[in-house]
Amino acid sequence: MNLDSLLISRDEALAAVLNPALQKISVRLQICGDAQPARDLLTKCKFDAVIIDCDDLQSGVDLLRNLRQTQSNGKSVSFAVLNGKTTTQQAFEWGANFVLQKPLSALHASRCFNAALNFMVRECRRYFRHPVDIPLRIGLPNKQEMSATATNLSEGGMAIRVLGKLPKEIKGQFRFTLPGASISLELTGEVAWADGTRRHSLHRRSAVLAVPAGKMADRPPAGRNA
């Protein structure tokens, strides 16, 4: 199982300690050195672990505080790297699962990541995306409909490719049939993000309903969540 982590820091010495420790447990590390690009990454990409240099990166503390509010990484395993300004208690109160203190040794980093590995694996399984190529219909407010293609599925949502643009956070009904299945599925969801290249990510808002595929055209639209 491939695991992915994001380090938000400009500290090259910190990265030099973290990267080997993560490699030993088969976790890939991506590094981002500025707060705004990091916010964009946290919105569009899913990471099993997020490591934030709270004290030595401008807006580092804000990134930690807001991490739990992101749809893609709200449940990611979070590490706060401290350097004398933020207390351990504050880091935990702001959402950190683990705390690392500078100067950080290779031994301390390895022990911390080994302790966190099971949590990262659990998060990866929860958000694992299965690649697919499935046509679907999208029912939008005001009785509008669009055609799209689902490109992957996960426990919490799906990625789709659509001609046109869906506004962020718009809610709709998404209907499709799984390959090899005799039933169609209908769910209520909302657009989590769109990247400007026809790719959108949907966050599931309601339980999936199963109906016979042949009856789909005769089935009245399901009620939308508020």
Side-chain angles (χ1 to χ4, degrees):
M1 180 177 293
N2 294 321
L3 299 174
D4 292 290
S5 64
L6 175 66
L7 169 62
I8 308 172
S9 176
R10 292 185 175 184
D11 190 335
E12 294 182 359
L14 175 64
V17 173
L18 297 181
N19 197 31
L22 289 166
Q23 286 181 345
K24 288 180 181 178
I25 56 173
S26 301
V27 178
R28 293 177 297 220
L29 178 64
Q30 182 173 342
I31 301 173
C32 183
D34 292 294
Q36 188 53 54
R39 291 188 184 97
D40 295 338
L41 279 172
L42 292 171
T43 300
K44 295 181 178 181
C45 303
K46 171 63 186 168
F47 297 95
D48 305 297
V50 179
I51 309 162
I52 302 174
D53 193 349
C54 291
D55 288 347
D56 293 336
L57 178 75
Q58 186 174 2
S59 299
V61 167
D62 291 335
L63 286 170
L64 177 63
R65 284 173 166 170
N66 295 327
L67 180 63
R68 298 303 175 207
Q69 307 306 315
T70 63
Q71 289 187 329
S72 295
N73 294 281
K75 295 182 182 291
S76 299
V77 181
S78 61
F79 299 80
V81 183
L82 309 182
N83 195 19
K85 299 177 184 177
T86 302
T87 67
T88 298
Q89 181 177 348
Q90 285 175 323
F92 286 136
E93 289 175 352
W94 294 336
N97 299 115
F98 295 87
V99 170
L100 297 165
Q101 296 281 354
K102 291 183 179 180
L104 182 63
S105 69
L107 178 60
H108 185 191
S110 293
R111 286 177 174 173
C112 185
F113 290 136
N114 285 332
L117 181 59
N118 285 341
F119 297 99
M120 289 187 271
V121 170
R122 184 185 306 166
E123 178 64 8
C124 182
R125 287 174 175 166
R126 194 175 70 86
Y127 263 85
F128 175 75
R129 292 188 174 269
H130 183 73
V132 295
D133 187 8
I134 304 173
L136 58 85
R137 294 291 294 172
I138 306 172
L140 299 172
N142 300 321
K143 298 183 178 180
Q144 296 178 344
E145 284 207 349
M146 297 180 67
S147 296
T149 301
T151 57
N152 66 53
L153 295 172
S154 73
E155 179 181 317
M158 68 173 69
I160 65 170
R161 184 174 62 251
V162 60
L163 288 174
K165 185 176 181 180
L166 291 171
K168 184 178 179 182
E169 296 183 356
I170 191 170
K171 296 180 177 66
Q173 304 292 325
F174 303 89
R175 302 186 292 274
F176 58 95
T177 302
L178 292 173
S182 60
I183 60 172
S184 290
L185 305 177
E186 181 174 334
L187 59 89
T188 300
E190 67 179 352
V191 176
W193 60 262
D195 68 359
T197 63
R198 301 190 299 165
R199 295 188 305 172
H200 298 69
S201 178
L202 306 178
H203 178 67
R204 180 170 63 82
R205 303 286 293 181
S206 71
V208 175
L209 302 176
V211 298
K215 300 293 186 181
M216 200 60 184
D218 302 326
R219 189 177 190 277
R224 289 176 172 81
N225 285 359

